[in-house]
Amino acid sequence: MRKRLQEGVFHVYNISNYRTTIFLKPEDNIRFLECINNSAITHNTKILEFCLMPNHFHLQVESCSLSEFMRRALMDFSRYYNKSYQIHGKQFTKPFESAPKRNLNFIIENCFYILNNPVVAGICSKPNQYQWNSFSFHHNGKTDLSKHILVDTSALDMCYKDEKSLLSAIADYKMPVVDHRFTRDSTNPRITNPELISIIGKILDGRSIYDLDKTSIKKLILFLNQYTNATFKQIAMNVHEEYSFVRKVCGTDFSKYQISKDMTF
């Protein structure tokens, strides 16, 4: 097994067991943020961005002991959750997933991705309309969430002078789709996340990805695997499913679901 990197800037994410809604009430979101914040203080970690979705979360952090930071945060949240709902066990499928971001361009692009998650999912039309992400922390914004978590927004704030320019940059991140990328051809360059997000947005046509039933999710995964050059990891991140689940679905016989370029979901 490959050893997880511990020091640097990371995109950290995880999904709930059985992909069910885990943040059932505002108190759950707040307690999760508090658990993240308390562990960050203990383990010398900066929170750069966050987004809590109904059944998963995204963080961008700068840490020197990533595993210890996340272990403490998730353990504390699990204690709270099990006591609140009188249940037992873990709330998330794995300890967590992480991807290092090695330069400023990758860091900024991933900030856009995290902040834009609820827009892609069809929950809102702009990232500043979503209550449970870190957009409101930018440019010394006043937010009630600052009582529960400290966020270092300096990376984006240095590049974008105000909320309007930041919103514009995030909107521009959703680049138009180039038709040739609908052909799965190794001679074509790998599809970018903005292009994949745009494809998914057109397919959903204003719906939330959470409106799709399990069969439709599988069809969407198979469609993206068949007609784009997206990796399994890209598909997993953008349809909010586990990497292992996407790999399993992509091993399915395509004829079972009648996947075609002009299909509807």
Side-chain angles (χ1 to χ4, degrees):
M1 181 180 294
R2 186 173 60 181
K3 188 176 181 180
R4 189 191 300 273
L5 293 175
Q6 296 298 318
E7 188 171 352
V9 176
F10 300 92
H11 178 198
V12 180
Y13 52 98
N14 208 344
I15 192 167
S16 65
N17 281 324
Y18 310 110
R19 303 170 187 83
T20 56
T21 298
I22 190 168
F23 299 111
L24 298 172
K25 55 187 179 182
E27 290 82 0
D28 298 338
N29 299 67
I30 289 171
R31 181 54 68 93
F32 185 85
L33 294 178
E34 290 175 342
C35 291
I36 291 293
N37 190 62
N38 291 339
S39 186
I41 293 170
T42 302
H43 296 288
N44 193 26
T45 295
K46 291 182 181 179
I47 310 300
L48 307 181
E49 299 289 353
F50 69 82
C51 183
L52 308 187
M53 300 292 281
N55 70 349
H56 68 282
F57 67 84
H58 293 274
L59 305 172
Q60 183 146 288
V61 303
E62 183 177 356
S63 184
C64 57
S65 53
L66 182 64
S67 292
E68 286 300 309
F69 155 66
M70 286 304 300
R71 184 188 67 81
R72 166 72 184 275
L74 295 180
M75 184 174 65
D76 287 352
F77 181 71
S78 183
R79 286 199 190 106
Y80 152 79
Y81 203 85
N82 288 340
K83 183 177 180 180
S84 296
Y85 295 101
Q86 298 184 347
I87 58 176
H88 299 281
K90 296 180 179 180
Q91 280 64 57
F92 296 98
T93 54
K94 295 179 180 179
F96 63 93
E97 300 280 358
S98 64
K101 302 300 168 184
R102 302 182 188 278
N103 62 50
L104 184 59
N105 286 338
F106 288 148
I107 290 171
I108 290 175
E109 182 181 90
N110 200 59
C111 288
F112 291 169
Y113 171 80
I114 290 173
L115 293 173
N116 212 37
N117 234 246
V119 178
V120 175
I123 296 174
C124 57
S125 59
K126 295 181 180 179
N128 61 333
Q129 297 170 344
Y130 191 61
Q131 181 180 2
W132 302 111
N133 69 11
S134 49
F135 188 94
S136 59
F137 286 79
H138 285 275
H139 303 104
N140 298 314
K142 295 181 179 180
T143 170
D144 290 340
L145 295 182
S146 61
K147 296 183 293 186
H148 307 287
I149 188 169
L150 178 65
V151 182
D152 183 347
T153 62
S154 56
L156 283 187
D157 291 353
M158 286 189 300
C159 300
Y160 304 97
K161 62 181 181 179
D162 53 30
E163 178 178 309
K164 183 178 179 180
S165 61
L166 178 55
L167 280 173
S168 177
I170 295 173
D172 290 343
Y173 173 70
K174 298 169 67 175
M175 296 164 57
V177 177
V178 180
D179 287 344
H180 72 74
R181 294 186 188 273
F182 277 95
T183 303
R184 192 168 182 82
D185 182 350
S186 61
T187 63
N188 283 337
R190 184 68 67 187
I191 191 171
T192 65
N193 276 330
E195 290 171 326
L196 188 60
I197 288 169
S198 181
I199 291 172
I200 294 171
K202 288 181 178 180
I203 290 171
L204 292 176
D205 192 25
R207 294 173 295 167
S208 166
I209 200 163
Y210 300 110
D211 293 335
L212 302 184
D213 59 24
K214 186 52 65 71
T215 298
S216 296
I217 285 287
K218 290 179 179 179
K219 287 182 178 180
L220 176 59
I221 290 170
L222 288 170
F223 176 88
L224 296 174
N225 183 56
Q226 176 72 5
Y227 292 108
T228 77
N229 268 0
T231 64
F232 292 157
K233 186 172 183 179
Q234 282 179 299
I235 295 172
M237 287 177 60
N238 287 289
V239 301
H240 306 154
E241 295 289 349
E242 277 193 276
Y243 174 81
S244 58
F245 177 74
V246 170
R247 286 197 63 175
K248 183 178 179 180
V249 170
C250 291
T252 303
D253 181 4
F254 278 51
S255 62
K256 177 181 178 181
Y257 292 100
Q258 298 180 330
I259 304 301
S260 65
K261 189 174 179 179
D262 57 353
M263 70 183 296
T264 57
F265 295 84

